[in-house]
Amino acid sequence: GITIKLNQKTSKVNHSKFSKSLLDWYDINARNLPWRIPPELTKEGITNDPYKIWISEIMLQQTGVKTVQSYFLNFIKRWPNVIELNKAKEDDVLKAWSGLGYYRRARNLKNCAKTICEKYNGIFPSCTEELTKLPGIGNYTAAAIVSIAYNKLAFPIDGNIQRIVSRLFEIRDEIKNDKSNILENLKEIFSQKRPGDFAQAMMDLGSIICKPANPTCNSCPVLKYCLAHKNNTYKSIPFKTRKVKKVAKKGYLYIGITDCKKIILIKRPNTGLLGGTICPPTSEWKVNKFPIPKPPYEGDWKVLDNRLFHSFTHFELELKIMISKIKHFPQDVYLEPLNSFTLNSLPTVMKKGVEMGIASFND
C-alpha cells in the first residue's frame, strides 16, 4: 500500500491513483439527489445548474439530506430559476422554508437572488471571490458552486470532507483549530480533471462509508491510503469538542382565535431568532424564568396544562401556551384559517404549539 504521511507532499502518482479509486467508486455508487447531474452525464460535459446547487447547499446547512430533498423539489417547482425567485414575495419564501429553521438563510436567498438579477443579469458568478460577496454565501457554499456547477478547481470543505481528510492523514487536532491543515491535505488529493464529481464523491463517501460513528472501512475504495485505519485511530478521529450545556429559556405563546375560526398571526422582526417569519405572537424568552404574561389582545385567556419544549442550537426553550377567543385585534395582523396549509407554513416550534392549543380548544 501507499503511505501518506502528515504534511508530506504526495507524489503525482499517489494523487492520481487516489482520485481514480474514489471516482471509479463514485461512478457506480453516486447518490441519486434531485439537484445533482449523475456522473455518466457530467463525464459527457453536461453541467449542474448553479441555481439548484446554490439552493440545495443553503438548505443543507444545518439540515440533513433526507429532509432537504422534499423541500428542494417543492421550492424548485415553485421558483425554477433565480429570476422567478427574485420576483417572489419574501413571506412566500419564508412559508416555503417553514420547518427548515435558521430563517435568515431564506431571507438571504431573496437578497442574493435580487443581487444576481440586478448585478449579474441573472447569471451566477463562476469564481469564489465574486460569490462570497453575495448575501448568505460563505467560503464553503462558494466553493461548492464553483466546483460542482462549474467543474472548476475549488475546495468545498463540509463535515464529511473534514472527517475523511482527518482520517486519511491522521490529523489529531480538533478540526476547528486546524482547518488550514485540512485544506492543504485536501489540495494534495483533489482531482483536477473532475473537481465537481470529486467533491461530490467525497461527500458521498462520508455519508455512505466514512461515517462519524461505525464507518464501514472494509467497503472503502480508498482504504489503503488511510493512516487512521492503518494505525487503528479512526474511532477517535476527528477529535470532538465537549458539548457545552445549553441555556434554558422560558416564555409564553399566545394563540388568539377569531369568531370565524381564524388564527391571529404576526410577522416577527427581521432580526433575531425566527426573524421575518409569520406566526402567533409570543412573550420575550427569559433565561431560567417565565416572564409576566402579557397577552397582546383582550380576551378570556387560559393557560394550557401541558407545556411546549423545543431545542434550538444554543438553548432549550420551554413555552406555556395561552389561548383565547378574540373579538378585537389590530388591522396589521394576518388572519389565517386553521388548516394543515397554515400549520405547515409555521416554524416547527410554532406549529407544535398551535397543534397543542387547537387540541385543547376543541376538547
Side-chain angles (χ1 to χ4, degrees):
I2 295 162
T3 306
I4 301 176
K5 287 194 178 147
L6 188 60
N7 291 334
Q8 179 185 324
K9 297 283 181 197
T10 53
S11 73
K12 283 185 179 175
V13 176
N14 291 0
H15 156 261
S16 61
K17 281 185 178 175
F18 178 91
S19 60
K20 183 178 186 311
S21 299
L22 182 65
L23 286 164
D24 285 350
W25 172 83
Y26 176 72
D27 288 343
I28 298 164
N29 298 285
R31 287 179 293 176
N32 180 17
L33 299 173
W35 48 85
R36 178 190 279 184
I37 298 282
E40 59 267 24
L41 296 181
T42 60
K43 285 194 285 187
E44 291 175 16
I46 296 167
T47 53
N48 284 283
D49 179 351
Y51 174 74
K52 289 181 179 176
I53 298 301
W54 169 57
I55 297 292
S56 68
E57 287 298 345
I58 300 296
M59 286 185 170
L60 286 163
Q61 292 167 9
Q62 313 287 345
T63 314
V65 169
K66 270 187 185 171
T67 304
V68 164
Q69 291 194 56
S70 58
Y71 276 92
F72 174 84
L73 288 167
N74 290 335
F75 199 96
I76 293 294
K77 190 176 177 184
R78 196 159 178 191
W79 302 293
N81 55 52
V82 73
I83 292 156
E84 292 303 315
L85 181 58
N86 184 39
K87 292 178 192 168
K89 290 180 185 168
E90 184 179 278
D91 285 358
D92 291 338
V93 174
L94 284 163
K95 282 179 183 176
W97 197 267
S98 180
L100 280 173
Y102 302 92
Y103 289 89
R104 189 184 297 131
R105 295 183 292 168
R107 293 202 309 280
N108 279 335
L109 282 181
K110 270 292 295 163
N111 294 333
C112 189
K114 185 170 189 274
T115 307
I116 288 168
C117 288
E118 290 177 359
K119 191 175 174 184
Y120 298 97
N121 294 323
I123 297 164
F124 275 81
S126 60
C127 70
T128 52
E129 292 77 17
E130 287 296 308
L131 284 164
T132 50
K133 293 175 188 172
L134 296 168
I137 295 184
N139 292 332
Y140 165 74
T141 306
I145 292 168
V146 168
S147 64
I148 297 169
Y150 290 109
N151 201 33
K152 288 167 66 175
L153 199 59
F155 307 100
I157 302 176
D158 71 348
N160 284 317
I161 291 175
Q162 283 182 341
R163 185 169 61 256
I164 293 166
V165 174
S166 294
R167 286 173 177 167
L168 275 174
F169 295 91
E170 206 181 18
I171 297 172
R172 294 167 174 269
D173 202 355
E174 280 182 22
I175 282 175
K176 67 177 182 181
N177 299 335
D178 210 8
K179 288 200 170 160
S180 61
N181 199 359
I182 300 261
L183 176 60
E184 289 313 305
N185 283 303
L186 179 61
K187 284 178 178 176
E188 292 293 344
I189 57 174
F190 219 89
S191 168
Q192 303 202 6
K193 288 182 184 169
R194 295 172 62 191
D197 283 345
F198 185 89
Q200 293 177 109
M202 289 284 277
M203 293 168 187
D204 284 10
L205 186 72
S207 173
I208 298 165
I209 289 171
C210 196
K211 297 174 184 178
N214 305 318
T216 51
C217 297
N218 292 337
S219 309
C220 180
V222 290
L223 182 65
K224 67 181 179 182
Y225 303 98
C226 182
L227 277 181
H229 183 267
K230 183 184 174 189
N231 297 328
N232 200 28
T233 55
Y234 63 90
K235 286 180 183 171
S236 60
I237 293 176
F239 287 161
K240 293 174 183 67
T241 26
R242 289 169 73 181
K243 286 189 176 174
V244 182
K245 197 181 176 200
K246 290 184 184 179
V247 172
K249 292 189 178 182
K250 301 172 189 284
Y252 287 87
L253 175 64
Y254 303 116
I255 299 174
I257 311 286
T258 67
D259 287 339
C260 50
K261 289 276 177 81
K262 290 197 172 178
I263 186 167
I264 304 172
L265 306 176
I266 57 153
K267 184 163 183 167
R268 290 177 72 88
N270 276 338
T271 53
L273 204 65
L274 306 179
T277 58
I278 293 163
C279 43
T282 71
S283 67
E284 62 175 320
W285 300 345
K286 295 191 85 164
V287 176
N288 290 331
K289 65 173 185 179
F290 285 96
I292 296 163
K294 293 174 184 170
Y297 324 113
E298 279 181 38
D300 181 20
W301 292 93
K302 293 182 176 64
V303 185
L304 297 194
D305 292 333
N306 45 353
R307 295 179 187 183
L308 170 61
F309 295 90
H310 189 80
S311 186
F312 288 99
T313 308
H314 300 298
F315 66 93
E316 302 288 351
L317 178 64
E318 179 183 352
L319 292 178
K320 290 182 181 177
I321 299 167
M322 295 188 72
I323 192 161
S324 175
K325 276 198 170 172
I326 304 295
K327 285 189 165 56
H328 306 290
F329 43 84
Q331 289 206 312
D332 60 352
V333 299
Y334 295 78
L335 298 180
E336 298 291 347
L338 275 170
N339 57 25
S340 59
F341 181 81
T342 299
L343 281 171
N344 291 331
S345 70
L346 299 173
T348 306
V349 58
M350 300 298 175
K351 180 182 175 183
K352 286 199 287 194
V354 172
E355 283 173 340
M356 286 166 72
I358 293 167
S360 73
F361 203 67
N362 292 334
D363 283 349

